[in-house]
Amino acid sequence: MKLVVFISGRGSNLAALLKNQAQNGYEVAHVISNKASALGLEIAQEHGVNNSHIVWTDRNQGEQHATEILNQVKPDLIVLAGFMKVLSAEFVAQFENKIINIHPSLLPLYPGLNTHQRAINDGQTTHGASVHLVDDQLDHGLVLSQCHIAIEPSDTAESLAKKLISKEHKLLTETVKMIAQGVLTWHNGLEYSNEPLKQAMVIDSPDM
Ligand code: GAR
């Protein structure tokens, strides 16, 4: 299965996807960043993956350029891995049901920024991350999979971000692997191995 990955920064989720691609049955064919300085672009280069910086100050222009690349590469799946722009309804419609995003909260809780601090402020004892289908709203769409972490009284936004990121890597790679294997599908509602799923797949590490 061919992927195009969109990033805006550090690219640790991209690195996790690249590390596991051979055994997981997918290939990152192209990386697109809206930031020229994104570390993730260097990661793509180190792995010999085609990559493009797209100027995204104007959404229409950004999306037009991205569409040209996507129409050339023809990916099976588009993965937003730390891509901090909201896509238009027109763009999403062109690639309907083919765009997923990873977000550091248990959606529908806390779309947007500062998810860790907001979870602490609300007195939550559990936090996590979600992989979801993308629509034209911020961090919104059918949730495919989630992972969880406990929030301890001593936790800060920084400690939660640190605890969560390695679990995000597993969540994203395992989810993309299941999609590549054709076991996780959403065309007739969310299904795993042809059985309907009432809620998102839970992909927790054993230490949870
Ligand atoms: C990740 O925590 C991801 O969940 C988040 O950005 C970070 C990117 O890290 N995405 C969002 O907040 C999307 N709304 P990375 O560049 O190291 O993969």
Side-chain angles (χ1 to χ4, degrees):
M1 183 178 69
K2 201 193 273 190
L3 310 183
V4 170
V5 180
F6 283 50
I7 58 160
S8 297
R10 179 178 58 178
S12 72
N13 277 291
L14 166 68
L17 282 170
L18 285 164
K19 190 171 160 204
N20 295 297
Q21 61 179 348
Q23 70 270 34
N24 282 358
Y26 58 80
E27 176 212 355
V28 179
H30 205 109
V31 173
I32 290 174
S33 172
N34 66 308
K35 289 259 174 71
S37 60
L39 269 179
L41 282 178
E42 289 175 28
I43 294 171
Q45 274 148 29
E46 281 161 18
H47 284 80
V49 176
N50 291 334
N51 56 89
S52 308
H53 163 233
I54 292 184
V55 178
W56 212 283
T57 32
D58 176 84
R59 182 162 82 172
N60 278 341
Q61 272 179 13
E63 290 187 344
Q64 206 180 329
H65 193 166
T67 301
E68 283 164 21
I69 294 170
L70 292 167
N71 285 340
Q72 264 179 17
V73 180
K74 297 191 185 6
D76 304 293
L77 189 70
I78 298 163
V79 180
L80 310 185
F83 182 67
M84 306 308 265
K85 294 281 180 188
V86 178
L87 299 166
S88 71
E90 294 73 27
F91 182 86
V92 172
Q94 287 185 93
F95 307 101
E96 204 180 357
N97 276 323
K98 275 194 174 184
I99 314 177
I100 63 170
N101 178 44
I102 182 159
H103 181 70
S105 78
L106 293 172
L107 291 172
L109 292 175
Y110 314 124
L113 299 174
N114 302 321
T115 57
H116 312 308
Q117 191 60 53
R118 287 155 69 200
I120 292 171
N121 292 351
D122 284 352
Q124 304 281 4
T125 53
T126 305
H127 185 45
S130 308
V131 173
H132 66 96
L133 283 186
V134 168
D135 62 21
D136 62 336
Q137 294 173 53
L138 177 66
D139 302 317
H140 188 267
L142 178 70
V143 179
L144 304 178
S145 60
Q146 291 184 318
C147 66
H148 301 81
I149 56 168
I151 302 183
E152 308 295 344
S154 58
D155 270 320
T156 61
E158 291 71 32
S159 70
L160 282 186
K162 205 170 161 197
K163 275 198 252 181
L164 189 58
I165 194 70
S166 56
K167 292 180 192 273
E168 282 193 41
H169 298 161
K170 178 158 187 236
L171 176 70
L172 185 61
T173 52
E174 289 294 316
T175 302
V176 174
K177 179 181 172 182
M178 288 189 295
I179 296 169
Q181 290 171 338
V183 288
L184 185 65
T185 58
W186 50 84
H187 304 287
N188 304 312
L190 191 57
E191 288 185 347
Y192 181 77
S193 282
N194 298 319
E195 295 291 331
L197 281 177
K198 288 204 182 74
Q199 53 200 27
M201 291 281 306
V202 173
I203 302 179
D204 281 333
S205 313
D207 59 328
M208 175 60 201

